[in-house]
Amino acid sequence: MPQTRAPHALTLFAALFVLSSLATAYRASASVPIPKPPTVDARGYILIDSATGRVLGEMNADQRMEPASLTKLMTGYGVFKALQERRLALNDPVSISERAWRSEGSRTFVQVGMQVPVETLVQGMIVQSGNDATIALAEKVGGTEDGFVQLMNTYAQQLGMKGTRFANSTGLPDPNMYTTARDIAILSRAIVREFPQYYRWYSQREFVWNNIRQQNRNGLLGRDPSVDGIKTGHTETAGYCLATSANRNGMRLISVVMGSSSFKAREDASAALLNHGYTFYETVKLRSRGAALLKPRVFKGAVDSVDAVVGSDVIVTVPRGSAATLKTQTSLKEPLIAPLAAGAAIGELTISDGADVIARVPLLPAQAVAAGGIWSRMTDTVSLWMR
C-alpha cells in the first residue's frame, strides 16, 4: 500500500505546487483594467506624472494653440532663473515703466515710476496674472520685454519645448506666438523640479496690493486640497486654459487643459483628468540612488572589481497593482578598463513592462578606480588578449 500511495502523494504535491505557482503568477500580473481617459471639454489636453514624465492621457497634445496667460509660466521660469543665478534678488526694487503701466488685460495696479520689490511683482504676476507686473519683471531681467522674450525662447529650446514660440511675456494675442499642451506640461514639470522654493506662490489664494484684494483665478485650489498650482489663462481666441498640479500621498500629477469653453469647464476637465490618473496609476520607487546591483571585474586597475550602482533613484509610473510584474535587466560596457571616473556610466539598468522599456537608469562605479601598477596592467593586458 505505501508503494501505491506514494505516487498519488507526489502527484498531489505536484498539482498543488503548479496551482500555487499559477496563483502567484496571477496575483503578480493582476492589475486594475485601465479605461480610456475621460472625455473633457477642451481642444487639447495632456496628463503626466511629474516624477517620471510618463504620459497618462492626451488629446491633441502636440497641436499648436494660443497659450494666453500660460505664457506667464515661462516668464516665471525666466525670473526664477535670474533669482537662482543671483542676477536678481527678491527685495530688488523695480521701476515701473509707462509701457508696463499701459499694458492691457489683467492688472496688479502698479503706477508709473513706482519702485516695487521683485517679490511683490512676482506675486502680482502669479496670483493676479497682472500684465503690468509681468512686463515690469521682463524689463528688469531682460533689459526690454523683447530682450526677455529672446531668453524665453532660448529656455524653451533648452527644455525641449519643440512646438512653442513666444512673442511677448504676458500671453496677449499675437499671430507669431503658439505652444502645445505637451510643451506646457514640460515647462510646468521643470518649474516644480527646479524651483521648489518659488513654486509655493502658485498655491497662494489671494494677493493684496495698493489696498486692492484680488483672488487667484484657479478655482481648483479651493475645490481640491491636493491641488497646489499652477496657472490659468484666457483670451477670446484661446479659450479657457489651465495648467494644474496636485500631490496626493507623494505622487504628483500635472494636467494641462487648453481651449475649454468656460471657467468651470476647464476646472472640471482638470479635476477629471487628475482623478483618472490617481485612480488607475501609481508611482513606485524600485531602487534608491547608490544601490549596488553588480560587482564587475575591472582590468588594469588599482582594484580588481567595483560595485556598479544606480546613478539616481529608480522611479516608475505604472498601472496600479502591476509593479510586481516589471522586468529589470542590467548591461555593462565590458570590458571595464581603469581608470574609471566616479560619474562615468559603465552600464545601464532598464525596466520594462513586458512590452516596452519604461525607464533607463545609468550604472556608475561606486567610486573612482585609479589605474593599477605596471605589473597589474601587464598581466591584465594578457588576460584581455585571452578573452
Side-chain angles (χ1 to χ4, degrees), residues 208-289:
V208 179
W209 166 253
N210 204 19
N211 293 319
I212 300 172
R213 183 184 303 273
Q214 296 195 60
Q215 304 296 317
N216 194 315
R217 293 178 174 84
N218 184 359
L220 286 185
L221 292 173
R223 287 174 52 179
D224 183 344
S226 71
V227 171
D228 56 13
I230 309 175
K231 189 72 188 73
T232 62
H234 171 255
T235 65
E236 290 297 324
T237 49
Y240 292 84
C241 308
L242 180 59
T244 308
S245 183
N247 190 340
R248 299 182 190 174
N249 299 317
M251 181 181 180
R252 180 176 291 280
L253 298 183
I254 293 171
S255 69
V256 177
V257 173
M258 304 188 72
S260 292
S261 61
S262 68
F263 282 102
K264 186 176 185 302
R266 70 184 177 190
E267 292 174 8
D268 289 347
S270 297
L273 291 171
L274 290 172
N275 287 334
H276 173 81
Y278 284 117
T279 299
F280 295 106
Y281 293 91
E282 61 182 338
T283 299
V284 182
K285 184 177 179 180
L286 301 179
R287 296 282 191 282
S288 295
R289 179 181 180 181

Side-chain angles (χ1 to χ4, degrees), residues 181-209:
R182 190 181 311 278
D183 282 358
I184 293 298
I186 290 172
L187 174 57
S188 300
R189 185 183 177 212
I191 290 173
V192 170
R193 180 181 64 247
E194 297 180 33
F195 307 112
Q197 70 275 42
Y198 306 129
Y199 178 74
R200 59 185 172 85
W201 281 311
Y202 291 102
S203 62
Q204 188 170 328
R205 301 282 297 279
E206 64 178 20
F207 177 64
V208 179
W209 166 253

Side-chain angles (χ1 to χ4, degrees), residues 88-158:
L88 190 69
L90 290 175
N91 59 359
D92 282 351
V94 179
S95 181
I96 306 303
S97 68
E98 184 172 348
R99 176 184 173 87
W101 173 69
R102 287 187 179 277
S103 61
E104 303 173 16
S106 303
R107 301 180 60 78
T108 307
F109 300 104
V110 292
Q111 302 298 317
V112 176
M114 274 187 171
Q115 298 290 307
V116 183
V118 167
E119 184 170 2
T120 298
L121 293 175
V122 168
Q123 292 175 84
M125 174 181 68
I126 291 174
V127 181
Q128 298 172 212
S129 200
N131 291 337
D132 47 1
T134 302
I135 293 174
L137 286 168
E139 291 173 339
K140 178 68 173 180
V141 175
T144 63
E145 186 181 14
D146 289 343
F148 185 79
V149 168
Q150 293 178 44
L151 292 177
M152 294 170 71
N153 286 317
T154 297
Y155 292 143
Q157 281 188 321
Q158 292 173 351

Side-chain angles (χ1 to χ4, degrees), residues 23-34:
T24 301
Y26 174 78
R27 284 194 300 271
S29 61
S31 58
V32 177
I34 298 180

Side-chain angles (χ1 to χ4, degrees), residues 297 299 333-336 380-387:
R297 172 86 161 88
F299 292 89
K333 299 177 180 179
E334 295 185 299
L336 297 180
D380 281 353
T381 297
V382 174
S383 299
L384 288 168
W385 289 341
M386 298 175 66
R387 278 170 62 89

